[in-house]
Amino acid sequence: MDKHKARLVAKGYMQQHGIDYAEVFAPVARLDTIQLVISLAAQKEWVIYQLDVKLAFLHGELNEEVYVEQPPGYEKKGREQMVYKLKKALYGLKQAPHVWYS
């Protein structure tokens, strides 16, 4: 193996509504809207491009304070009980889609 990849992901399923977050947001397009755009592009002979943004949620600035535990196996010696304060959204957070969309 030439390289290893890792991604820090929050345990969003551990968050509690009203305590850790206020609302859930899911930016999705309706199927009939997608079909309309594709049919319009076919009629006008437009080129359609597909884009997969893997890091989209990682650039949103958080408005509230969110803390996460240190990942197992990556704890700092002598500081095992300390947590990370997030400045930007992570995958898994309930706030991540709303912060990204804003």
Side-chain angles (χ1 to χ4, degrees):
M1 248 190 205
D2 294 332
K3 59 182 174 177
H4 300 278
K5 290 185 179 184
R7 179 177 293 149
L8 184 60
V9 178
K11 294 181 182 178
Y13 60 87
M14 299 285 292
Q15 291 181 289
Q16 297 177 7
H17 187 269
I19 298 173
D20 299 317
Y21 67 96
E23 61 183 343
V24 178
F25 183 80
V28 294
R30 292 179 36 187
L31 182 58
D32 56 345
T33 304
I34 294 170
Q35 289 173 339
L36 176 69
V37 171
I38 291 174
S39 64
L40 182 64
Q43 288 176 356
K44 304 271 185 182
E45 297 181 0
W46 293 340
V47 178
I48 298 176
Y49 296 98
Q50 179 180 350
L51 180 65
D52 184 20
V53 181
K54 293 183 180 182
L55 301 176
F57 284 1
L58 302 180
H59 295 290
E61 297 277 340
L62 291 171
N63 297 328
E64 61 273 338
E65 291 186 358
V66 179
Y67 298 92
V68 294
E69 295 176 350
Q70 296 180 50
Y74 292 94
E75 297 95 353
K76 290 188 178 182
K77 292 186 181 186
R79 297 183 176 184
E80 290 84 5
Q81 301 304 318
M82 298 193 83
V83 295
Y84 295 129
K85 179 180 176 182
L86 298 179
K87 295 180 181 178
K88 295 192 174 198
L90 283 180
Y91 285 108
L93 282 180
K94 301 286 186 181
Q95 299 94 326
H98 188 266
V99 170
W100 170 78
Y101 188 73
S102 297

